[in-house]
Amino acid sequence: MRLAGPVRIVVVLLTVGLTWILAGVMLGTQSGFPRIQQLLGGGEVSSTTDPRPRRYKCSLPQPCPEKHFAIRVVSGAANVIGPKICLEDKMLMSSVQNNVGRGLNIALVNGVNGELLEAKSFDMWSGDVSQLMKFLLPIHEGTLVLVASYDDPATKMTEDARKLFAELGSTAIKDVAFRDSWVFVGAKGVQDKSPFEQLIKNSKSSNKYEGWPEAVELEGCVPQRTQDLE
């Protein structure tokens, strides 16, 4: 009979403690449980939620150094999902922006300050390639040219058009053909071949979609031009 009082106190304390823990779990705070676990285990409680990796401009895994532009260029997927062109965390072209179309999607950017000069799509299946030529021929020295294909980039492509892209730094343009996936970043007046280019060929043996290869993308840091455009 002498133990009845202490036992009753212990039962009450356990009931209160369990109620407190249950309330914390139900309310999403779980403030009581970690402390109880620390008291019992004597150690730190690790978080069960893994923090998401930090992403930088245009979702790059690392920040770009000073005097560089962060870029991400993604081609369209088949003829269903449109391409994307991002520079310095600004979406220059995408289906959401409602400024992409079948063929070649091209954004012209000031190489000094990253300002978007013009963005336009060119239908390379049934369009007029002369419009593409008129778009590219007048651009100034140092202008960045960001290109993403969608559906078909090459049916209307001419040798003169290919030469223009080669002068911008493209090495793959000679091989770009019907329904290939192609992304490219070059510049007017570039001295070397651009390292920012990816091409996946349309091939029945390797196509991800029926009649089209998988989408292709590139990301990286493009050096800014350090002098005014001519």
Side-chain angles (χ1 to χ4, degrees):
M1 295 300 293
R2 292 181 181 179
L3 295 177
V7 170
R8 187 179 295 111
I9 293 173
V10 170
V11 170
V12 170
L13 290 175
L14 287 174
T15 301
V16 172
L18 290 173
T19 302
W20 176 51
I21 294 172
L22 181 60
V25 171
M26 293 178 67
L27 293 175
T29 61
Q30 299 181 338
S31 59
F33 181 70
R35 295 192 180 190
I36 294 295
Q37 196 172 33
Q38 287 179 23
L39 288 174
L40 294 177
E44 294 293 329
V45 178
S46 61
S47 174
T48 57
T49 303
D50 293 329
R52 292 183 179 181
R54 184 175 179 182
R55 307 298 288 181
Y56 298 88
K57 292 179 180 178
C58 292
S59 296
L60 298 187
Q62 296 180 342
C64 288
E66 291 186 9
K67 304 298 182 180
H68 285 71
F69 297 122
I71 62 160
R72 178 182 291 275
V73 184
V74 186
S75 73
N79 61 349
V80 179
I81 302 175
K84 298 178 182 178
I85 298 178
C86 175
L87 183 138
E88 284 294 286
D89 238 14
K90 296 179 182 178
M91 195 61 68
L92 306 184
M93 301 189 76
S94 71
S95 296
V96 175
Q97 302 293 107
N98 196 30
N99 62 351
V100 297
R102 178 175 65 182
L104 295 178
N105 296 269
I106 306 177
L108 303 181
V109 174
N110 184 306
V112 176
N113 58 25
E115 176 187 358
L116 176 64
L117 302 175
E118 193 170 2
K120 197 170 182 179
S121 63
F122 300 90
D123 188 341
M124 300 301 288
W125 166 253
S126 61
D128 183 356
V129 71
S130 67
Q131 298 303 311
L132 172 64
M133 302 290 288
K134 291 178 181 178
F135 185 73
L136 293 177
L137 280 171
I139 63 177
H140 296 290
E141 184 91 1
T143 300
L144 293 178
V145 181
L146 297 87
V147 185
S149 68
Y150 183 27
D151 188 358
D152 174 32
T155 294
K156 292 290 185 176
M157 186 75 74
T158 63
E159 288 306 312
D160 286 340
R162 292 181 191 276
K163 182 179 179 181
L164 276 180
F165 285 112
E167 291 173 352
L168 296 171
S170 172
T171 55
I173 187 59
K174 64 183 183 298
D175 299 317
V176 176
F178 176 66
R179 288 187 176 178
D180 288 349
S181 292
W182 179 49
V183 290
F184 165 67
V185 177
K188 180 72 172 182
V190 66
Q191 298 299 316
D192 301 314
K193 301 305 179 183
S194 172
F196 301 102
E197 186 170 29
Q198 295 289 338
L199 173 67
I200 297 183
K201 300 293 294 178
N202 170 23
S203 172
K204 291 182 179 179
S205 62
S206 61
N207 281 348
K208 181 175 181 178
Y209 309 104
E210 185 177 354
W212 287 271
E214 64 182 304
V216 63
E217 68 178 284
L218 62 82
E219 63 182 31
C221 303
V222 176
Q224 297 178 16
R225 188 176 174 85
T226 57
Q227 62 187 40
D228 292 336
L229 302 180
E230 296 179 0

